Amino acid sequence: MAALISKRLLRCSSGSLPSLGRSYFNSPNADVYSRLSGERLLSANCSLVRSMIRQFSTSVLTPGPDEGAFPSDLLSKNTLATSERTIGLCQDLLIPVTNFHNEDKGFMVLPGDVFDLPIRKDIIHRVVRWQLAKRQQGTHSTKTISEVSGTGRKPWNQKGTGRARHGTLRGPQFRGGATMHGPKPRSHAFKVNKKVRRLGLKIALSARAAEGKLLVFEDLEVPTHKTKNIVNYYNQMEKTKKLLLVDGGPIDEKLKLSTQNLHYVNILPSIGLNVYSILLHDTLVMSRAAVTRIVERMHTPINR
């Protein structure tokens, strides 16, 4: 079918457009064709070609099973320009897996409902404020008038001295006296719903994945406890200032010793991954086990 259509089009294109119109119009339409001239003739020819294409081709021209593939010399050698991925469509991501030696370990699919959410700065702001407020010690304390040391007697007579009236030297206007309305030990924490906290962590992970700053390793094992192992890998990374390593289970002792002298590399277990730590580090490296546990944690129903 494809070959037949192409032959017909080639035969029609070899002649002029008027001849094409005469061959297409039958004798009853000959007087209509003769009255067309100038711009009307050009528009009629264009509509004629379009109508013929619609008549003869009803599907995309593709080689049939009995025909060979398209000749390679007819195909374009230019690389097609593909549009960039749209962020925030909850689409699953396919990311390569490697290790500290830059070895190829296959691929891993990251769920879109965890690693491809729309970026919302208001949610990130609320969660970070909640974290910083909750971790405050709140141990600040000042002494009231009943807690400062000093006598309780009246310093001088009420009248006759020409001085102001006072009943105690422990008041806030005296040196060493009390502090009025000062801070007392309290908790600075405020409530943020679990759904919002979980959404904040998903958005932080999605932001790192969208920036290309999320790396997945097969594991976080290092051969020795030497710091140079981590330093060599860090020097190979481009545009990285601080690195956060996240493992699925307990932190390996060799990895802990190799990073404890580096202020720009920190380690966390997957259970301790949080929004503020992700924002403090511009590159996030997670093991396969850590990704699996984070996804399970995000998919676990919230207990009310």
Side-chain angles (χ1 to χ4, degrees), residues 100-102 226-237 258 262 264:
F100 285 117
H101 304 290
N102 292 327
K226 295 293 185 179
T227 306
K228 64 180 180 181
N229 297 323
I230 304 298
V231 172
N232 292 336
Y233 175 75
Y234 176 83
N235 293 334
Q236 297 175 3
M237 305 181 70
S258 61
L262 303 176
Y264 49 83

Side-chain angles (χ1 to χ4, degrees), residues 213-224:
K213 294 292 187 177
L214 175 61
L215 307 179
V216 178
F217 279 15
E218 183 69 24
D219 50 53
L220 297 182
E221 295 181 359
V222 290
T224 62

